[in-house]
Amino acid sequence: MTDNKNSFDLHNPEPLLIVVSGPSGVGKDSVIEQMKARGLPFHFIITATNRPPRDDETHGLDYFFYSTAEFKEMIAQDELLEYANVYDAYKGVPKSQVREALASGKDVVMRLDVQGAASIHEICPDAVLVFLTTKSEAELIDRLEARATESPEELKLRITTARDELNQIDKFDYIIPNCDGKLDQAVDIIAAIIRAEHHQVNHRKVTM
C-alpha cells in the first residue's frame, strides 16, 4: 500500500522577495505604509542611508540614518546586499535583514529606487520586481513640485531622472498605476500579484 500521508501537502511555496520600485514621486512610501496598515504578513526591509532625516521621518522606522563615515564602513565590511549613490546620498539594503526574514519563511518586501531594483535583480533573478507609476508624466511632475522638499536644481534633477526611469519599465515584472486617490487600488493589485506568485507551478526560488 502506498504511503500517501503527504499527498495533499503539495503547496508549500518558498518565501518571495518583492521589490517595490519606481521614480521619485510615484508614492512608494505611501504604498508600503498602506501595506503595513493592512497588517499584510510581510517583512518590510528598512533601507539604510546617509542623508539626514526629514521632519516626519524616524530612525529605524522609515530608514536607518547613518553618517557618511558609518555608511562607508558598512560598505567596507560587506554588510549591504546592494547600495548606490542616489541624488548625492547613499542608500543600501542591510544583508542581515533580508537573510533572517527569508530564513523565517516570511515574504520580504523592499522599497527601492530603479537603480537599486536593477542591482537586486542581478543578485537575485527570481525577485518579483514591481514598478509603480502615475497616470501620466504630468501627474508625476505635479507631485514632485508639490512636495517642496528640494531646491529648484534638485527638483530639475529628479524630474530628469524620473523621465529616464520611466523608460526602464520593461526590466520589471509588473507595472502598477498609483493614481491620485487610488492608493487602495494599487495595494490591492500588489497583494493579488503576491497571492498569484505563490500559486505558480514553477515557484520562484530566492537565493543569495
Side-chain angles (χ1 to χ4, degrees):
M1 183 175 178
T2 302
D3 182 1
N4 63 353
K5 65 179 181 179
N6 294 320
S7 61
F8 295 102
D9 188 24
L10 299 176
H11 181 68
N12 186 27
E14 298 282 340
L16 295 168
L17 176 59
I18 303 107
V19 178
V20 176
S21 187
S24 290
V26 294
K28 297 186 290 294
D29 289 343
S30 297
V31 165
I32 294 296
E33 288 307 311
Q34 185 63 10
M35 292 173 73
K36 291 179 180 178
R38 290 190 185 186
L40 297 179
F42 310 128
H43 179 90
F44 295 93
I45 295 299
I46 301 174
T47 304
T49 183
N50 72 324
R51 72 161 174 80
R54 297 177 181 138
D55 291 341
D56 60 345
E57 292 178 328
T58 303
H59 176 78
L61 181 63
D62 299 292
Y63 288 91
F64 288 121
F65 295 99
Y66 297 110
S67 68
T68 299
E70 289 172 328
F71 200 100
K72 288 184 176 180
E73 180 63 19
M74 293 173 72
I75 295 173
Q77 296 298 322
D78 196 27
E79 295 176 6
L80 299 172
L81 184 61
E82 69 83 29
Y83 70 91
N85 193 294
V86 183
Y87 303 118
D88 295 322
Y90 281 110
K91 287 186 178 179
V93 177
K95 286 182 179 179
S96 58
Q97 272 196 86
V98 179
R99 288 175 173 164
E100 288 171 9
L102 291 171
S104 73
K106 284 187 176 181
D107 289 336
V108 173
V109 175
M110 59 177 67
R111 163 201 58 195
L112 295 175
D113 56 60
V114 173
Q115 183 180 348
S119 296
I120 291 296
H121 182 63
E122 289 183 7
I123 297 166
C124 179
D126 275 347
V128 180
L129 304 187
V130 174
F131 191 98
L132 291 180
T133 186
T134 51
K135 183 178 181 181
S136 65
E137 182 181 301
E139 182 180 308
L140 178 59
I141 293 173
D142 286 344
R143 289 188 190 179
L144 289 171
E145 292 175 341
R147 296 196 313 188
T149 55
E150 292 88 24
S151 67
E153 292 76 17
E154 290 171 335
L155 177 61
K156 183 177 179 181
L157 175 60
R158 284 185 182 268
I159 291 172
T160 299
T161 302
R163 284 174 173 152
D164 290 339
E165 290 173 338
L166 287 169
N167 292 324
Q168 299 184 48
I169 291 175
D170 61 347
K171 298 178 181 179
F172 287 74
D173 299 304
Y174 301 95
I175 177 172
I176 301 176
N178 183 28
C179 303
D180 288 339
K182 299 292 181 65
L183 177 61
D184 280 324
Q185 180 175 304
V187 174
D188 286 343
I189 296 171
I190 293 176
I193 286 170
I194 295 172
R195 285 196 300 271
E197 285 285 347
H198 273 301
H199 288 275
Q200 285 204 48
V201 172
N202 298 311
H203 194 72
R204 295 173 188 258
K205 175 76 173 178
V206 177
T207 56
M208 60 181 61

